[in-house]
Amino acid sequence: MRRFALVLTALLLGAAAPAAADLVPVVLDGWFDDWGAVTPLATDPAGDGGSSGIDFGALWAANDQDWLFLRFETGADVQPDEQQDIRLYLDTDMDANTGLAFGGIGADLVWNLGQRDGTFYPGGATAVGHPDLGLQVGPTVSSTEFELALARAAVPANGRLLFPGSTVRFVLRDGAGGGDVTAPVTYTFSAGTLATPSLDLGRADPAHLRLATWNVQNDGLFDGGAAEAAQGRMLEVMDPDILVLNEVWNHSAGEVRALIEQHLP
C-alpha cells in the first residue's frame, strides 16, 4: 500500500533561538517564545481603551532579511481578522507629508485587520490585499496578543516598494467609539542575513505513519498545468501515509484517488 507523509508546519517551523544578536528568526505560529530576546519598543498606557474593550499594551518590532515582524497586546480577547476595528498605520518613508496623515505620521499603508483589507498611499490611494504585502497574522484564533509579518520586498502598487528605507514608524488604532490609539513608534531595521535552516523530511522510524492535511482551495487539485505539476512535487516530498484533503467540492472520491495515484502510484 502506498505510504502517504506527515508534514506538520508547527514541527518544521518551530521557534528557534535568535541566531544573531541583531536579527530575530520569528515564526508566526501563535507562540511568542521566539520574541524572548526582543525588548518592547513601547508600552501604551493602561486604562485608555474605548467601548470595544481593546486597550493596547506592549508593542514590539523585529526583522530578518526578508520580513518586518510586529507584535502587540490588545488587552481584550478579540478575533484577528473580524469583529474588531484594529488598524495599523505604517509610515515607511518617514515623511509626515506623504501618505495619510494620522497620529503624527504620514501613513503609506493603512491596514484594517478586522476588514482584512488596506490602502497603499504613495502615488495615490490604492486598495491592497494580503498577497500584495506578503501579510501574515497569528494566531488565527481569538487572543489578547498578536504578531504579524510584512514582506520587506513587497511592491503593493504603482511599482512602489512598501519599504523604501531602513526605518519605519507605526501607530495602532482601535476604530471603535473612543478607541485606544498608540503614540507613534519608530523602528530601524537590523542589517545582516540569517541562515535558512535545512529541514530533513526523511523518516526517523520507517514504522511511523505520516499524516498530511491539505486545503487545496476550491478544487485546486484539479487546476492542471503548472499548478498540478507543483502539487505533484509537493506530494512526492510529503510522501504521506494518510492524506486529508479539504475543499474538494465538485469531484468524487474516485476522481481524487485517480489523480493522487498519478503522482504517488
Side-chain angles (χ1 to χ4, degrees):
M1 177 180 180
R2 179 65 191 183
R3 301 172 60 133
F4 291 126
L6 168 61
V7 175
L8 296 180
T9 302
L11 295 178
L12 295 180
L13 299 179
D22 54 348
L23 295 174
V24 181
V26 172
V27 176
L28 269 75
D29 54 6
W31 300 93
F32 301 96
D33 304 24
D34 42 3
W35 289 87
V38 182
T39 301
L41 290 175
T43 299
D44 189 70
D48 57 352
S51 60
S52 68
I54 293 172
D55 188 3
F56 296 119
L59 308 170
W60 295 260
N63 73 275
D64 63 15
Q65 65 269 24
D66 299 315
W67 302 94
L68 168 66
F69 305 107
L70 301 178
R71 174 187 172 191
F72 58 93
E73 298 172 331
T74 59
D77 192 67
V78 297
Q79 288 286 123
D81 58 357
E82 63 179 354
Q83 301 175 9
Q84 43 79 12
D85 195 15
I86 297 175
R87 304 178 194 183
L88 169 66
Y89 295 77
L90 189 63
D91 184 352
T92 61
D93 64 7
M94 297 297 291
D95 186 346
N97 297 312
T98 63
L100 179 70
F102 181 80
I105 68 174
D108 303 298
L109 172 70
V110 178
W111 183 262
N112 188 318
L113 278 78
Q115 297 297 320
R116 302 182 296 280
D117 61 20
T119 305
F120 186 55
Y121 284 95
T126 303
V128 292
H130 285 85
D132 303 310
L133 311 170
L135 178 65
Q136 305 171 53
V137 180
T140 58
V141 295
S142 66
S143 180
T144 60
E145 188 172 6
F146 297 94
E147 55 187 350
L148 61 85
L150 293 157
R152 294 180 61 182
V155 183
N158 304 323
R160 302 285 293 273
L161 284 168
L162 176 59
F163 297 106
S166 60
T167 302
V168 299
R169 54 190 171 190
F170 64 95
V171 170
L172 281 172
R173 172 194 177 194
D174 173 21
D180 196 6
V181 180
T182 70
V185 178
T186 300
Y187 177 73
T188 298
F189 290 104
S190 296
T193 301
L194 287 173
T196 301
S198 61
L199 301 173
D200 184 2
L201 300 183
R203 300 183 185 225
D205 186 337
H208 289 171
L209 289 176
R210 288 185 161 184
L211 166 70
T213 177
W214 188 1
N215 187 320
V216 297
Q217 190 175 4
N218 198 24
D219 280 295
L221 199 65
F222 295 86
D223 285 347
E228 183 176 336
Q231 291 166 348
R233 293 192 295 272
M234 292 173 65
L235 284 166
E236 290 171 5
V237 171
M238 288 189 287
D239 188 30
D241 295 302
I242 301 171
L243 178 61
V244 179
L245 295 174
N246 306 291
E247 292 201 18
V248 179
W249 304 123
N250 300 309
H251 295 80
S252 69
E255 290 174 310
V256 172
R257 178 178 179 177
L259 182 61
I260 295 299
E261 288 185 345
Q262 291 180 28
H263 302 293
L264 300 176

